[in-house]
Amino acid sequence: MATQAKGLLSEECRDALNQVASYELHVSDAYLSMACYYIEDSEAPIFHSFFQDQADVKREHAKQFIKYLRKYKCKICLPVIKRPDIDNWGTGKQAILSALQLENSLNTLLQDLKASASRNRETNLLRFMKKFLDEQTRNISYLEYQLNYQKELETSAQREEQPENAAGPSGASGQETESAGNSPSPPAQKIPKPAT
């Protein structure tokens, strides 16, 4: 088995594996930064634990890609990726958007690696990658859900902040009608539903 594993990876796949391992570490650092930013917040957002977990998970993924390279006696040469410039992640929406961008970039690298493995008929590598691709899909879906949820929260908060005096005059006239009126109000019109 050890002789089978020796030097069988194509150069294209070796380079792509090094790139993915390096980017996994980059994403791990970004998630760690996000988790540390929110840890001091007494009302940490619900996705804080996701950031913390993903920092550990991405680092472990990088180790697994490096182990895979070592299994095939490949040179480990991780490209340097600049650390995120952001230290203030701001609102939850901004952090989730940044996380989503990182995950989409990682997904692109994984898809490129998959394409390289397919071109070079690296069936073992394709099997190895399946769990990472599946997990990537789940992470992106989770972050998209959280982003939509944060947008809804912002919209709801904006509605609540609107001045109450806009509703004042119409509310007052409605009260007068009810108190003075012995006659019943007309029934509300029903709006037809669109055909399905």
Side-chain angles (χ1 to χ4, degrees), residues 54-138:
Q54 286 305 301
D56 297 335
V57 167
K58 298 300 182 186
R59 189 162 302 278
E60 185 56 38
H61 286 181
K63 288 180 188 176
Q64 289 177 34
F65 282 107
I66 291 169
K67 283 179 188 175
Y68 191 88
L69 284 163
R70 291 182 58 125
K71 174 183 171 184
Y72 285 89
K73 310 290 187 211
C74 298
K75 183 177 180 182
I76 310 298
C77 183
L78 303 177
V80 176
I81 299 174
K82 191 175 180 294
R83 184 185 174 280
D85 288 333
I86 304 170
D87 286 326
N88 179 349
W89 294 98
T91 66
K93 181 180 164 187
Q94 291 166 329
I96 291 172
L97 193 56
S98 295
L100 188 56
Q101 289 168 346
L102 288 167
E103 292 289 353
N104 281 326
S105 295
L106 179 56
N107 190 52
T108 300
L109 288 173
L110 286 168
Q111 293 297 336
D112 291 347
L113 175 57
K114 180 181 177 184
S116 296
S118 293
R119 272 192 304 277
N120 291 285
R121 296 183 179 91
E122 304 280 3
T123 55
N124 289 338
L125 180 53
L126 288 168
R127 278 193 295 271
F128 171 75
M129 289 186 57
K130 185 175 181 343
K131 67 178 177 180
F132 299 104
L133 290 166
D134 292 345
E135 190 169 320
Q136 204 57 31
T137 302
R138 285 192 303 272

